[in-house]
Amino acid sequence: MKLSTKGRYAVTAMMDLAINHRTGPMSLADISKNQSISLSYLEQIFSKLRKADLVEGVRGPGGGYRLARPINQITIAQIMQAADVSIDSTQCLGAEDCSSGDRCLTHKLWEDLSFKLYEFLNDITLADFVKEPKIRHMRMPQDSASNYINTMFLPISRAS
Amino acid sequence: MKLSTKGRYAVTAMMDLAINHRTGPMSLADISKNQSISLSYLEQIFSKLRKADLVEGVRGPGGGYRLARPINQITIAQIMQAADVSIDSTQCLGAEDCSSGDRCLTHKLWEDLSFKLYEFLNDITLADFVKEPKIRHMRMPQDSASNYINTMFLPISRAS
DNA sequence: GTAATAACCAAGTAACTTACTAGGTATTAA
DNA sequence: TTAATACCTAGTAAGTTACTTGGTTATTAC
């Protein structure tokens, strides 16, 4: 799981789907326009989301994608895990006895942290962002926050 | 901020420092051995940590790095922000009026999520992992957790 | 004061990821 | 039958990762 632009694309696209989940399937063309993401790149991301059973595709005119489950059963952690490149652990493999003792101590500590973070993100569902018919924003301090936010999760600028 | 191998290197190295912060500065050569990270790569990472005032370098024999602040004043969020590549936001810049209304709604929702995550990681300090003279592990369910963990934050395997 | 030890610095690189383009095929509604 | 859409494969330039090489300072121990 990574917190990069790709994960952000997946999450924001799923939010779009969640917001519009009453009005039938939503086409990738629409999401592409909304989010300023290339259609083909969205297709690739949605291919992964579909394989993870988070969305369902509907072909033909008027088709598109819809959420495969109720909004309160789709978590941020699930979306990010689905979108990200598959990750392969070579050192330790989570085994208890990885090079025994101190050497792997920080590895264990990192796992503890990872799990805490996973729990945190797995507790947040799309329903936490979307309340019909109006969007309910999560409470958030205004000014102290904005400085951090702008330097954290926003996309890297690319020359076109 | 990203949750990738680089951030993991930085965090685990800082954990190493925190664990040994009583016995004087710790050399990168030691950390390199402990964590199986190349010395020169560590130097690059520590250069960033030093510029972020998280560590202090001590030159000469017996030298190394030590934490620049008490362990309860260094957060995971700070470490990851310091280690990661600088990120530049081109769309929205956090402005309230970015393309007005629905178009940027999910962007706002993503910011809310980012901030929540930042708060979460900024609440965890190195002291939460290290308690002298013994290490205190964070509580963590055993079996249900391990499957997730192994596929989440561990390094990508690379052919050498 | 010389040698060893370490931080500190800069440049280069192969493998990989990102974000995108191009060019299709398959399915379905009108 | 046509158009709209999902769905699929291959390619690519730019950026990141993780590392290598080859230095230069600063400090301690002898």
Side-chain angles (χ1 to χ4, degrees):
Chain A
M1 185 150 90
K2 292 161 78 176
L3 288 181
S4 50
T5 344
K6 197 171 194 175
R8 175 179 155 268
Y9 282 174
V11 171
T12 53
M14 290 292 279
M15 285 170 171
D16 239 349
L17 246 55
I19 289 166
N20 299 317
H21 75 114
R22 290 200 159 277
T23 57
M26 188 178 187
S27 74
L28 291 189
D30 285 346
I31 297 176
S32 173
K33 264 175 257 159
N34 281 356
Q35 311 280 345
S36 302
I37 308 171
S38 91
L39 179 59
S40 230
Y41 195 35
L42 270 179
E43 281 178 347
Q44 287 169 41
I45 293 171
F46 269 78
S47 168
K48 292 180 178 179
L49 295 175
R50 192 172 51 85
K51 278 163 191 160
D53 277 322
L54 296 174
V55 296
E56 286 170 350
V58 180
R59 291 185 171 198
Y65 283 96
R66 63 172 154 239
L67 300 177
R69 281 179 263 162
I71 55 173
N72 64 343
Q73 286 173 35
I74 298 180
T75 74
I76 303 297
Q78 287 165 356
I79 297 169
M80 289 185 162
Q81 272 191 312
D84 284 326
V85 139
S86 86
I87 263 169
D88 187 354
S89 94
T90 16
Q91 58 190 49
C92 288
L93 291 156
E96 303 298 318
D97 60 346
C98 117
S99 70
S100 60
D102 252 40
R103 192 125 162 224
C104 197
L105 200 149
T106 54
H107 181 221
K108 174 72 171 60
L109 295 180
W110 175 258
E111 279 189 354
D112 292 350
L113 173 65
S114 300
F115 183 68
K116 277 207 88 176
L117 188 55
Y118 176 83
E119 277 186 321
F120 175 75
L121 290 176
N122 205 39
D123 242 29
I124 305 175
T125 72
L126 290 178
D128 292 322
F129 294 93
V130 181
K131 282 291 179 204
E132 309 144 54
K134 278 268 172 211
I135 308 307
R136 187 198 61 177
H137 282 158
M138 299 164 72
R139 58 259 161 260
M140 164 175 145
Q142 281 306 337
D143 296 307
S144 62
S146 53
N147 281 338
Y148 295 116
I149 290 166
N150 294 338
T151 55
M152 282 177 70
F153 299 105
L154 293 173
I156 294 161
S157 71
R158 300 186 65 174
S160 73
Chain B
M1 184 151 91
K2 292 160 78 175
L3 287 182
S4 51
T5 343
K6 197 170 193 177
R8 174 179 157 267
Y9 281 174
V11 171
T12 53
M14 290 291 279
M15 285 170 171
D16 239 348
L17 246 54
I19 290 166
N20 299 317
H21 75 116
R22 291 197 157 278
T23 59
M26 188 178 188
S27 74
L28 292 188
D30 285 345
I31 297 176
S32 172
K33 264 175 257 159
N34 281 356
Q35 310 279 346
S36 303
I37 308 171
S38 91
L39 179 58
S40 232
Y41 196 34
L42 270 179
E43 282 178 347
Q44 288 169 40
I45 292 170
F46 269 78
S47 169
K48 292 180 178 180
L49 294 175
R50 192 171 51 84
K51 279 163 191 160
D53 278 322
L54 296 174
V55 296
E56 287 170 349
V58 180
R59 291 185 170 199
Y65 283 94
R66 65 172 153 240
L67 300 177
R69 279 180 264 161
I71 56 172
N72 63 343
Q73 286 173 35
I74 297 180
T75 73
I76 303 298
Q78 287 166 356
I79 298 170
M80 289 185 163
Q81 272 190 312
D84 284 326
V85 141
S86 86
I87 264 168
D88 188 355
S89 94
T90 17
Q91 59 190 48
C92 289
L93 292 155
E96 302 298 319
D97 60 344
C98 116
S99 69
S100 59
D102 252 40
R103 188 123 165 228
C104 197
L105 201 150
T106 55
H107 181 221
K108 175 71 172 61
L109 295 180
W110 176 258
E111 279 188 354
D112 292 351
L113 173 65
S114 300
F115 183 68
K116 277 206 89 175
L117 188 56
Y118 176 83
E119 276 187 321
F120 175 76
L121 289 177
N122 205 40
D123 241 28
I124 305 175
T125 73
L126 290 177
D128 292 324
F129 294 94
V130 181
K131 283 291 179 201
E132 307 144 58
K134 279 268 173 213
I135 309 305
R136 187 197 61 178
H137 282 159
M138 298 163 74
R139 58 259 163 258
M140 162 176 147
Q142 282 305 336
D143 295 308
S144 61
S146 53
N147 281 337
Y148 295 117
I149 290 166
N150 293 339
T151 55
M152 283 179 70
F153 299 105
L154 294 173
I156 293 158
S157 70
R158 302 184 63 173
S160 71

